[in-house]
Amino acid sequence: YLTCIGKDGWRWKQTHDYDVEMSNVIERPLQRLVDGNTVNDHVVGRSFVFGGISMTYPSKALKKWIEAPTVVESMGKPGEMGRPVRISSDLKVPMKLKFKENVFNLLASDMISLTRSLPDPRSRCCRRVRYPSKLPTTSIVIVFHNEAWTTLLRTIWSAINRSPRSLLKEILLVDDGSDREFLGQQLDEYVANLSVPTIVVRTEKRSGLIRSRLLGAKAASGEVLTFLDAHCECTEGWLEPLLSRIVQNRHTVACPTIDIISDETFEYKQVSESTWGGFNWRLNFEWYKVPKREEKRRSYDKTAPLRTPAMAGGLFAIDKQYFFEVGTYDEGMDIWGSENLEMSLRIWQCGGILEQLPCSHVGHVFRISTPHTFPGGLSKTLLRNAARVAEVWLDEWREFFYAMYPDARKDTAGDVRDRILLRKRLNCKNFEWYLEHIYPESIIPLHYYYLGEICDVEADTCLDTMGRQENQKVGISHRHGLGGNQIFAYTTDQQIMFDELCLHAARTRGPVTLVHCSNTENNQMWAYDKEKKWIRHKRTGQCLQSASHKDPSTPLLRPCNNQKRQQWLMESKWKA
Ligand code: LR7
Ligand code: MN
């Protein structure tokens, strides 16, 4: 393997035998930090891409270098090529202390170059894709509240160094009421020297990420808005796929594939490209495996955009004008949370397209808990934001959300009249359409007979998940009338669901357990006999029976009879 040392002290090293792809002829200034100084490698020519770094060579040398792919590494620094940073044992104490500041390993982040190299996460097929030479310009909008210096700056540097300069109109940083000294004047001065126009906009007081992003959007002059969280790293070729989708259809909102930057080691870890975004009854955003239906729709082409039901929220590109046309954000949402679902549903229901692009990869530091303060109270804020989504976009399916949060009701959401008017004005489709056409795999069922408590006529005790986990027995308890763990849906597929869990029985005499719902699982099918009020397990023919004296907290599966213990009410909220 070939190794040589560059003039600027950078090591150029061949590590892989994979093929090298030439990208378009572009002008690509590369800025790097060497010993704290900025080095400008402004070279015009043909650039090509390998190992996560794009480089430019005079054309004569091209052929030779195509045969010898290389990567560039910052000499001696930890974390190069996205490798994990190991902290020596004598630094474990300061490491733990610093971890608390941002809920990630700040000590590790501080050790890594602001311009570290990363592996190129794109598949061979993706590297082969060619994009239109005329793409719109973009303003990158990064909102932050008390972000760490190195993660914020690494986000900025990775965007500058891995985006064609001609496409980057500007970078807009929105400081949402941070109180850390270095995010003030020091940041202003630092960004003033970058090769891409970069400014810091400041909210007057803590406004939350939703209103902060709006402030950034209003200040932007690029044709496309590209939002990033403040602890990301863009990889080679991340931007072109996003922008090219928007040129093709300006109602497309394009998200990159979000890889994981470890909160412990800052290792860059690729995620599966067959994962997309969805949500459960609680309106929690979750990652799910892309279903066969969607793989088929895109003809099993691994480079084709995924039509995702929902986006994570922090990383996406949208035509600026369309962003305003389609109703920006719900400004009634505070601090953090649910704006991603609100936007996802609004895009889909109001005629747009939401895509996740397998050929665009951006890393994000995922953390186990939030470092932010919530001035209005954490759970209150989250519940209110989610209730606004339910009220405005879910129609009758909002009841699934309220089933999970018995304390939440209409007034939880506050005033949503403006958003309902927006929905009317944009002539948006309903949630039923969304479930049918965009998200048939949803855990919120499109067709269901019943949503409510399932209680026996005799003792007035009800099925109750007791907050148990998957593969544990379903319980039974006194009716409390508060919903929550006593709410189930009986679907037209004959499943009895509680969020993603289904009543499941594998053997004739039970037990009845809670198992992840699956449409191909006949152990999860139950027939409700409206006359006899039986809930009959289809495969075994046995009936659900409320608890025995021996074990009053567990329902049984027994041969059907006419006892009251086998009579269940599922009628009051019976729906077709
Ligand atoms: O009050 C605040 N003001 C802010 O400016 C609170 C947060 N912020 C900033 C914050 O500094 C950060 O840059 O907003 C950004 C997002 O906050 P994070 O990083 O604490 O949140 P997260 O990464 O856990 O949040 C995900 O869900 C959020 C829901 O409101 C947002 O949509 C985030 O943008 C989103 N992040 C991603 O989509 C990256 C992938 C994570 C996943 C899943
Ligand atoms: Mn984040």
Side-chain angles (χ1 to χ4, degrees), residues 38 44 80 97 105 118 153 170 202 256 304 342 358 373 530 572:
T38 306
V44 184
E80 287 301 315
L97 281 173
N105 192 343
L118 290 176
L153 267 296
E170 67 201 343
R202 293 193 159 83
E342 195 273 341
T373 54
K530 270 175 137 178
S572 54

Side-chain angles (χ1 to χ4, degrees), residues 44-218:
V44 184
R46 217 175 242 287
S47 84
F48 59 100
V49 173
F50 40 80
I53 288 284
S54 162
M55 285 201 239
T56 312
Y57 288 94
S59 49
K60 255 194 274 172
L62 251 184
K63 206 174 171 302
K64 199 174 127 204
W65 280 95
I66 286 169
E67 258 95 72
T70 58
V71 293
V72 57
E73 295 193 25
S74 181
M75 206 118 80
K77 283 256 189 179
E80 287 301 315
M81 286 310 283
R83 282 188 294 261
V85 177
R86 306 278 173 220
I87 306 288
S88 62
S89 52
D90 52 316
L91 288 174
K92 289 280 150 90
V93 174
M95 180 191 89
K96 284 204 175 106
L97 281 173
K98 280 196 142 195
F99 199 98
K100 295 195 183 112
E101 287 175 36
N102 301 80
V103 196
F104 54 63
N105 192 343
L106 180 57
L107 189 72
S109 177
D110 288 352
M111 290 162 73
I112 303 170
S113 163
L114 295 179
T115 56
R116 77 157 160 180
S117 55
L118 290 176
D120 185 342
R122 295 170 304 171
S123 67
R124 277 164 181 260
C125 303
C126 281
R127 279 180 240 173
R128 228 158 252 147
V129 176
R130 291 287 159 267
Y131 297 97
S133 52
K134 242 193 120 39
L135 289 170
T137 61
T138 188
S139 300
I140 294 183
V141 178
I142 300 170
V143 303
F144 61 90
H145 173 69
N146 284 340
E147 187 61 52
W149 180 262
T150 46
T151 43
L152 175 63
L153 267 296
R154 204 173 297 112
T155 307
I156 298 170
W157 278 105
S158 71
I160 294 176
N161 277 338
R162 299 204 181 88
S163 313
R165 177 64 188 84
S166 57
L167 301 180
L168 269 197
K169 179 84 187 195
E170 67 201 343
I171 298 174
L172 299 170
L173 305 175
V174 185
D175 173 5
D176 180 17
S178 304
D179 46 33
R180 295 183 180 171
E181 189 71 29
F182 58 80
L183 294 171
Q185 202 187 335
Q186 189 187 329
L187 182 62
D188 288 338
E189 284 168 10
Y190 188 97
V191 301
N193 295 319
L194 295 171
S195 63
V196 173
T198 305
I199 55 162
V200 189
V201 188
R202 293 193 159 83
T203 61
E204 272 163 35
K205 58 173 178 23
R206 178 85 182 281
S207 303
L209 73 91
I210 293 121
R211 290 189 284 269
S212 301
R213 280 196 198 138
L214 205 49
L215 196 68
K218 284 177 182 155

